[in-house]
Amino acid sequence: MRIYCLKPLSICDTNSYLVASEKGNAVLIDAPADAGYILEQVEFYGLTLKKIFLTHGHFDHVGAVADLVDATGCEVYISALDKDKLYDEEGMLVHHFMVRGYKKYTGDVITFTENDILTLDELEFDVLETPGHTRGSVCFICEDSMFSGDTLFARSCGRTDLPDGDADAMKRSMKKIYDLGGNLKVYPGHMQLTTLDAERKYNYYLQNL
């Protein structure tokens, strides 16, 4: 497995990641904005974009989906609990953050739920439902890496004060993450990379459960 960290995109400086199989096929974890840049990176690394896995349905994680599907025909995956946000500008907070120039996605999606395993060639991504930031927020775990979206950040966690947020659900999700085995590498939706052991030791939201 090869992981390529793309530059932060959208007005929210959102992280996204290309995860490549041995065959050179790729999954994009979240699609914040600027499909042209993402496609340039796909080409630069010699990859073929096959799938987009979305950690949740806010605009800063799905903004490039429509253009990427138009350009590549890739499949789009999102939690069944956040599927409606992908088609609803109100639900994805486009109006809340007064986003301009957003291209709405109207195509097909594939939904998943807790403990589903999403695959690309030899790669297997375990789905961990982690509600709190949104009802359908998830983390994806592949080998020794976790893509945590807007659930877990370095020394912090996702906001719960936005529509569909739930502070009590976030606490339960933090407990679920704390109890995961091993020292996973954490690739969050915002800010810098971290590790699960570092967050267990220093993250207030994991220490005060």
Side-chain angles (χ1 to χ4, degrees):
M1 177 177 67
R2 292 169 288 157
I3 301 174
Y4 302 100
C5 303
L6 306 187
K7 70 180 182 182
L9 299 168
S10 87
I11 62 172
C12 299
D13 284 340
T14 303
N15 296 329
S16 56
Y17 308 95
L18 286 167
V19 185
S21 74
E22 293 179 359
K23 294 181 179 179
N25 294 320
V27 168
L28 177 67
I29 308 293
D30 287 333
D34 198 349
Y37 163 76
I38 295 172
L39 291 169
E40 287 174 359
Q41 296 304 296
V42 170
E43 182 177 3
F44 176 79
Y45 292 116
L47 306 175
T48 301
L49 182 61
K50 292 290 189 178
K51 301 182 180 186
I52 300 173
F53 294 168
L54 300 171
T55 60
H56 63 292
H58 284 162
F59 76 93
D60 61 313
H61 293 255
V62 308
V65 167
D67 286 334
L68 290 171
V69 172
D70 286 347
T72 68
C74 63
E75 297 175 337
V76 179
Y77 293 70
I78 192 168
S79 166
L81 297 174
D82 259 25
K83 176 184 176 181
D84 289 347
K85 290 184 179 63
L86 195 55
Y87 303 117
D88 174 23
E89 292 184 351
E90 196 68 40
M92 67 178 67
L93 306 182
V94 169
H95 302 306
H96 186 93
F97 284 90
M98 295 183 290
V99 177
R100 299 290 182 264
Y102 173 79
K103 183 175 180 180
K104 188 175 181 179
Y105 179 64
T106 59
D108 295 334
V109 298
I110 299 168
T111 59
F112 51 75
T113 58
E114 175 86 330
N115 295 325
D116 279 350
I117 297 177
L118 310 181
T119 63
L120 177 69
D121 299 331
E122 81 282 1
L123 302 179
E124 295 187 344
F125 296 78
D126 291 306
V127 174
L128 185 72
E129 289 184 345
T130 54
H133 183 63
T134 69
R135 192 164 58 105
S137 288
V138 302
C139 299
F140 301 111
I141 300 174
C142 186
E143 298 181 4
D144 64 349
S145 299
M146 178 169 68
F147 302 90
S148 60
D150 283 8
T151 298
L152 179 67
F153 301 141
R155 313 302 188 264
S156 189
C157 70
R159 292 175 61 173
T160 59
D161 60 331
L162 296 169
D164 200 31
D166 185 327
D168 290 335
M170 180 64 84
K171 289 179 182 178
R172 293 190 291 271
S173 293
M174 290 293 101
K175 180 65 165 60
K176 184 185 289 189
I177 289 173
Y178 186 94
D179 289 340
L180 290 172
N183 181 28
L184 297 171
K185 301 171 186 175
V186 178
Y187 294 82
H190 300 274
M191 301 182 290
Q192 71 270 26
L193 308 186
T194 184
T195 66
L196 192 49
D197 275 356
E199 297 313 304
R200 289 188 183 108
K201 185 174 182 180
Y202 297 111
N203 191 317
Y204 170 87
Y205 297 97
L206 288 180
Q207 291 178 330
N208 293 272
L209 296 170

